[in-house]
Amino acid sequence: MNIIQRMAEIKARRAELRSQLESNDQVDLDAIEKELRELDEEYTNLEKRQQTINGINDGTVPANVVTNPVAARSADNFDQEKEYRSAWLKSLMGKPLTANEQRAYSTASGSALPAIPESTANEIIKKMYEVAPILQRCKIFHVPGNFKFAVEGVNSDAALHTENGAITAASDTLGSVSLTGYEIVKLVKASRATVNMTINAFESYIVEIIAEAVARKIENYIFVGTGSSQPGGVAQGGKGTGGAYTAGTDQVSVAANATVAESDITTLYGYLGSGYERNAVWAMSKNTFFAYFYALMNKSKNNLIEFANGKYYIMGCEVYFTGSLTKGVAYLGDFSYIVGNYSQDISVVKSEHSGLATNSVDYLGACVFDSKAIGGLGAFVKFVKAQS
């Protein structure tokens, strides 16, 4: 075999495939991707062989070439991660795997690779934050099993010290929030036509459908979860027993036949614990905001409510709209005092048997999640407008 000639042929074939991709939308992307990968591998081997021949001719390297095991292992690990992603997605689609993909898939259980490829998992997390942006303000962990998070209890102020006088330790205390885990699932029934998608298109489909559904459910628990046989959230973030909110302490209640006044908003803001206003945001439904808050916008009088860069602000705190809260209910607070944990990250499995009668394929996305608000600190306050 003429090595130089074969390398030239590979370059020409690469250019031909690139031209097909740029000029024709009706190409088999998987076949082209496979061929390019094989050509790259062959070209690299030929290049190494030619370098060895040149070295022998020059007398600069011995005929017995010893491969650097560290470099070879690094390259193999890099390829394995790429092949695993392709193998994982193809297995869900029911497509045959290449030899390299089969090797990567069969050894994944004994490696550091996740059940879902890292790149796909990152896309899922990114999508979840897009769908439920309030999650970006919460403290979210990924710790397997039950999880205990330390929180401040009594936090005494710093004291004035007399020079050379004895210093007494402050009576600060620590509490904790214990998180277990609850299964959150989404079952998707898809047409068998998904097998005809490209790998990238299928990955986007899985991310879009499953991540969005799971994110919306977790967001719902962040706002209305009871913490009893389900994740908890801001609804249990008050100062009272069990995180309850109390009118006159950390809650403002407006009667059904009364009109929401500016003083109701300023009073509620005053109930927020000292220091928490720095990262505080409002959370409410659009219905609540436009029915009870929007009418208080009056720039000629004050800047109680403002609109800037496509967002609304109440007393300088951004407003997050959510469909999880009913009309007449709103919260103001620092959502970093809601702690959540994925004791098991999202996994995706498929079943062809359950969809046999409808010629479809079922995909099940699931994760194990728990969350709780740190109550008793004054980090959250609640607004309630009674409905007639």
Side-chain angles (χ1 to χ4, degrees):
M1 178 181 65
N2 189 316
I3 295 177
I4 302 298
Q5 180 181 349
R6 179 53 185 160
M7 291 173 70
E9 290 174 354
I10 291 175
K11 287 182 178 179
R13 180 54 180 164
R14 282 173 173 170
E16 182 181 350
L17 292 173
R18 186 182 303 109
S19 177
Q20 289 181 23
L21 288 170
E22 293 173 348
S23 60
N24 186 359
D25 293 334
Q26 306 299 320
V27 295
D28 189 340
L29 294 175
D30 291 336
I32 291 178
E33 180 185 8
K34 177 183 177 183
E35 184 175 354
L36 281 171
R37 188 162 52 245
E38 292 172 348
L39 290 173
D40 287 343
E41 184 176 352
E42 183 182 357
Y43 190 92
T44 299
N45 291 334
L46 290 172
E47 196 172 38
K48 288 181 179 178
R49 181 179 295 185
Q50 186 61 44
Q51 289 173 353
T52 304
I53 292 173
N54 293 340
I56 293 173
N57 292 336
D58 296 340
T60 56
V61 295
N64 251 342
V65 179
V66 179
T67 305
N68 183 337
V70 175
R73 195 180 303 119
S74 298
D76 185 63
N77 287 341
F78 175 81
D79 291 339
Q80 181 171 322
E81 185 174 345
K82 180 180 178 181
E83 297 290 352
Y84 179 73
R85 170 186 174 272
S86 177
W88 184 82
L89 290 167
K90 280 186 175 181
S91 68
L92 288 180
M93 299 170 74
K95 286 187 174 184
L97 308 183
T98 65
N100 285 340
E101 289 168 345
Q102 288 176 344
R103 181 168 64 91
Y105 199 69
S106 62
T107 59
S109 59
S111 71
L113 292 169
I116 289 184
E118 185 177 353
S119 59
T120 306
N122 289 339
E123 287 299 316
I124 288 176
I125 293 172
K126 178 182 176 183
K127 183 64 180 179
M128 291 177 70
Y129 284 154
E130 289 176 358
V131 173
I134 198 65
L135 292 175
Q136 299 179 51
R137 290 187 169 270
C138 302
K139 281 190 174 76
I140 304 296
F141 297 89
H142 296 259
V143 180
N146 294 346
F147 177 61
K148 182 175 286 188
F149 182 78
V151 299
E152 65 179 9
V154 176
N155 189 0
S156 304
D157 293 335
L160 185 66
H161 175 242
T162 302
E163 188 175 357
N164 297 324
I167 300 176
T168 303
S171 56
D172 293 358
T173 61
L174 281 176
S176 64
V177 170
S178 296
L179 301 176
T180 54
Y182 301 96
E183 288 188 1
I184 298 176
V185 300
K186 171 64 176 180
L187 181 64
V188 178
K189 189 176 290 293
S191 166
R192 287 187 179 272
T194 54
V195 74
N196 297 320
M197 289 182 173
T198 64
I199 290 177
N200 290 337
F202 178 76
E203 181 182 48
S204 298
Y205 171 78
I206 288 293
V207 168
E208 184 79 23
I209 298 297
I210 291 180
E212 182 169 343
V214 173
R216 291 195 185 283
K217 191 61 180 176
I218 289 177
E219 186 216 46
N220 182 262
Y221 287 128
I222 294 295
F223 288 117
V224 300
T226 64
S228 177
S229 300
Q230 63 179 245
V234 67
Q236 281 70 51
K239 291 182 178 180
T241 304
Y245 294 89
T246 307
T249 300
D250 53 8
Q251 176 175 312
V252 167
S253 301
V254 181
N257 59 352
T259 301
V260 176
E262 183 180 307
S263 60
D264 295 320
I265 310 304
T266 56
T267 298
L268 185 67
Y269 188 89
Y271 287 158
L272 191 66
S274 179
Y276 296 113
E277 69 278 354
R278 290 193 301 270
N279 298 312
V281 295
W282 294 82
M284 66 187 76
S285 67
K286 289 181 180 178
N287 204 348
T288 298
F289 178 80
F290 288 105
Y292 306 121
F293 289 80
Y294 186 73
L296 299 175
M297 180 184 288
N298 186 346
K299 288 185 176 294
S300 63
K301 182 180 178 183
N302 56 41
N303 288 323
L304 182 76
I305 298 177
E306 298 178 284
F307 180 77
N309 301 318
K311 298 178 180 179
Y312 286 98
Y313 298 83
I314 303 175
M315 298 195 72
C317 299
E318 184 181 342
V319 179
Y320 274 71
F321 293 126
T322 173
S324 294
L325 294 174
T326 58
K327 183 178 180 181
V329 175
Y331 292 96
L332 168 66
D334 184 347
F335 279 78
S336 67
Y337 286 85
I338 290 181
V339 182
N341 182 47
Y342 293 97
S343 54
Q344 178 184 305
D345 287 327
I346 290 181
S347 61
V348 181
V349 296
K350 80 164 186 177
S351 172
E352 296 184 357
H353 305 293
S354 57
L356 182 63
T358 55
N359 193 34
S360 60
V361 180
D362 289 341
Y363 296 103
L364 177 67
C367 72
V368 179
F369 179 81
D370 194 12
S371 59
K372 284 184 182 177
I374 303 172
L377 301 178
F380 300 99
V381 292
K382 182 179 182 180
F383 168 87
V384 178
K385 174 67 169 73
Q387 304 297 296
S388 55

